[in-house]
Amino acid sequence: VQLQASGGGLVQGGGSLRLSCAASGRTTSNYGMGWFRQALGKEREFVAAISRGGSSTKYADSVKGRFTISRDNDKNTVYLQMNSLKPEDTALYYCAASTALWLQVHVSSDEYAYWGQGTQVTVSS
């Protein structure tokens, strides 16, 4: 499966962005999907993940209550709605796909075999 992330940009603190991850090659319903991010000089970290059907989700504590992951399997697209953005959310955001059971949600990057190219999110103070 090939993944293409988009929707990043520059936003003021407190603002919102919605990232999209479009999949091609195989339908996204075959995969658990996740978002990760990597800030400059830091290691990649988990942000959010969603099960194949969308009924189960997990979030990093740092984004819980502000970010929402969702998916539209008919459109082969996964979304990350980001609200109340903070400067510390500045990073390159990646979407990823993992082979998973229907309700399974993976938080470790080791579980994800397919990665998109990343989209930059910059939050100004």
Side-chain angles (χ1 to χ4, degrees):
V1 61
Q2 293 79 45
L3 304 174
Q4 179 76 36
S6 62
L10 173 64
V11 63
Q12 279 193 327
S16 298
L17 282 174
R18 189 176 80 156
L19 305 183
S20 298
C21 176
S24 60
R26 291 196 69 182
T27 58
T28 53
S29 62
N30 290 313
Y31 302 95
M33 300 295 293
W35 287 95
F36 292 78
R37 67 186 182 186
Q38 188 167 18
L40 199 62
K42 295 187 177 181
E43 292 189 355
R44 184 170 55 192
E45 64 175 0
F46 168 76
V47 175
I50 190 167
S51 60
R52 288 170 58 186
S55 61
S56 297
T57 58
K58 287 186 179 178
Y59 296 92
D61 288 343
S62 58
V63 307
K64 207 170 289 183
R66 299 188 298 121
F67 291 11
T68 302
I69 188 171
S70 62
R71 65 191 301 161
D72 185 338
N73 286 339
D74 290 336
K75 295 182 178 179
N76 286 329
T77 303
V78 178
Y79 305 97
L80 185 67
Q81 177 67 43
M82 306 186 295
N83 298 329
S84 302
L85 282 161
K86 305 175 181 180
E88 51 263 44
D89 294 318
T90 295
L92 191 60
Y93 283 71
Y94 297 91
C95 63
S98 70
T99 303
L101 299 175
W102 186 250
L103 293 176
Q104 201 169 23
V105 180
H106 291 137
V107 301
S108 169
S109 60
D110 292 340
E111 300 288 350
Y112 290 84
Y114 307 98
W115 293 82
Q117 86 291 359
T119 184
Q120 178 68 37
V121 172
T122 303
V123 184
S124 63
S125 57

